[in-house]
Amino acid sequence: MAADLSDGSSSLSVLETVLYAHDLEAAEDFYGGVLGLKTVAALAGRHVFYRCGNQMLLIFNPSATRQPPAGGALPVPPHGMEGQGHVCFRASTDEISAWRAKLESLGIEIEADFEWPRGGRSIYFRDPAGNCVEFAEPRIWGLS
Amino acid sequence: MAADLSDGSSSLSVLETVLYAHDLEAAEDFYGGVLGLKTVAALAGRHVFYRCGNQMLLIFNPSATRQPPAGGALPVPPHGMEGQGHVCFRASTDEISAWRAKLESLGIEIEADFEWPRGGRSIYFRDPAGNCVEFAEPRIWGLS
């Protein structure tokens, strides 16, 4: 029996969130070493994959993933972006304060730290590739 | 009392997954009209925001978000990428079959459809901006 999508589409959930970085070793030092994510898989020069709650955070070198799949490889479509991306992780305000202290102790600049008009705090900083990383209280979106 | 990050970092979870699109109206036709996500907020020419399960999917026009915040605005740091990004949504194999049928009925090409060597199916297609969108069974990552 075919699945019925008529009610299900609003319950879509993200399985893979993607960032790009040309220097994957620096990305690993940051996402593994600083943020403490556990590496699930890594292929030098192409990717490093992290489990992040009930989903994955995938960091790709766009120079590698823009190439079409080699003959005999799985037909994974090419993709890749350049510039400064953005991701946000959920945190309580106490956790945000603790992250701020930890990041600053490591010499990582906090680029912004503010309260949203309807409540909830965010802090922003950069990963080594220049991606804009945020910790925010989920209530800024009415989420828990 | 400061939050203790020593045990908590491996429990990080994503609050905001980001994609970029210059044509946000086309993006809304796709993510709202085709995938059925509910719009939480939109600002013409800058962004459209969707709730997606217990998190957010944010689609930004990088030409707008690369600009530094205006005087008096919240100090949200600039970011923006160009190219073809990637996102994956979780789905059962029955849901993947139903999505494939729905997408093809709308003239959206399925770029790849295969089983991973360790089990689990993925299909890939493009959003109007060229981003690589995937539906995959969470078991490809050992997730449920």
Side-chain angles (χ1 to χ4, degrees), chain A residues 17 54-55 78 80 84 90 126, chain B residues 17 54-55 78 80 84 90:
Chain A
T17 296
N54 194 34
Q55 66 155 274
Q84 298 180 308
R90 50 166 42 79
R126 298 281 169 178
Chain B
T17 296
N54 193 35
Q55 65 157 89
Q84 298 180 308
R90 49 165 46 76

Side-chain angles (χ1 to χ4, degrees), chain B residues 3 5 10 12 25 39 48 80 105 111 132:
Chain B
L5 301 175
S10 63
L12 277 185
E25 290 185 18
T39 303
V48 54
S105 77
E111 190 172 351
C132 176

Side-chain angles (χ1 to χ4, degrees), chain A residues 9 17-18 21 24-25 37 45 59 65 71 80 86 103 106-107 139-140:
Chain A
S9 52
T17 296
V18 171
L24 291 172
E25 290 185 17
L37 293 171
I59 303 177
T65 54
H86 178 42
L103 292 163
L106 296 168
R139 67 188 176 110
I140 69 172

Side-chain angles (χ1 to χ4, degrees), chain A:
Chain A
M1 191 182 75
D4 180 5
L5 301 175
S6 59
D7 299 325
S9 52
S10 63
S11 67
L12 276 184
S13 70
V14 172
L15 181 62
E16 299 169 9
T17 296
V18 171
L19 293 172
Y20 294 96
H22 285 274
D23 184 342
L24 291 172
E25 290 185 17
E28 284 199 70
D29 288 346
F30 182 82
Y31 288 96
V34 177
L35 299 192
L37 293 171
K38 303 299 179 205
T39 303
V40 169
L43 181 60
R46 185 182 187 277
H47 65 243
V48 54
F49 297 160
Y50 296 100
R51 180 164 173 173
C52 193
N54 194 34
Q55 66 155 274
M56 301 297 297
L57 174 66
L58 309 183
I59 303 177
F60 291 108
N61 175 357
S63 300
T65 54
R66 269 194 300 258
Q67 306 304 318
L74 287 169
V76 177
H79 58 87
M81 300 200 98
E82 303 288 339
Q84 298 180 308
H86 178 42
V87 69
C88 176
F89 301 100
R90 50 166 42 79
S92 69
T93 188
D94 281 353
E95 288 169 337
I96 290 172
S97 294
W99 278 113
R100 179 175 179 131
K102 176 172 178 170
L103 292 163
E104 289 184 323
S105 77
L106 296 168
I108 296 170
E109 180 195 0
I110 302 298
E111 191 171 349
D113 182 345
F114 60 83
E115 191 85 7
W116 292 90
R118 288 186 289 182
R121 179 182 176 193
S122 286
I123 61 170
Y124 296 83
F125 48 100
R126 298 281 169 178
D127 78 4
N131 293 304
C132 175
V133 182
E134 178 184 1
F135 283 107
E137 292 181 77
R139 67 188 176 110
I140 69 172
W141 297 112
L143 298 171
S144 57

